[in-house]
Amino acid sequence: SAPIDLGGEAVAISLGWHHSCTLLENGELKCWGRNRDGQLGAGDTNDFDILSVVTVDLTCQRALSVLQGWYLP
């Protein structure tokens, strides 16, 4: 496996069934993995390459924590 470039220091990570999200120290939320049910928070259900990183649009807000379930329909 290869490291994933998140563009910052991760302070928390949450793992789902086929997707993961991490909270960066600057408050950004980055997710990667399958997205066929919208798990990545990208606003769509386009299925991505497992190593494609998506920045979740928080509309000028900072995330304080990250938590997800096994499967999000």
Side-chain angles (χ1 to χ4, degrees):
S1 69
I4 297 174
D5 181 15
L6 299 172
E9 186 74 28
V11 295
I13 189 165
S14 181
L15 307 174
W17 180 246
H18 288 285
H19 59 287
S20 302
C21 292
T22 189
L23 173 62
L24 302 182
E25 63 184 350
N26 66 1
E28 283 187 311
L29 190 58
K30 304 269 183 144
C31 299
W32 62 95
R34 303 299 301 266
N35 190 51
R36 82 177 140 232
D37 295 306
Q39 301 97 307
L40 301 185
D44 58 41
T45 55
N46 296 330
D47 207 7
F48 295 102
D49 175 9
I50 201 80
L51 294 180
S52 295
V53 177
V54 174
T55 301
V56 178
D57 182 5
L58 299 175
T59 315
C60 300
Q61 301 294 317
R62 288 176 44 103
L64 301 176
S65 64
V66 58
L67 177 67
Q68 59 188 354
W70 169 74
Y71 176 77
L72 295 172

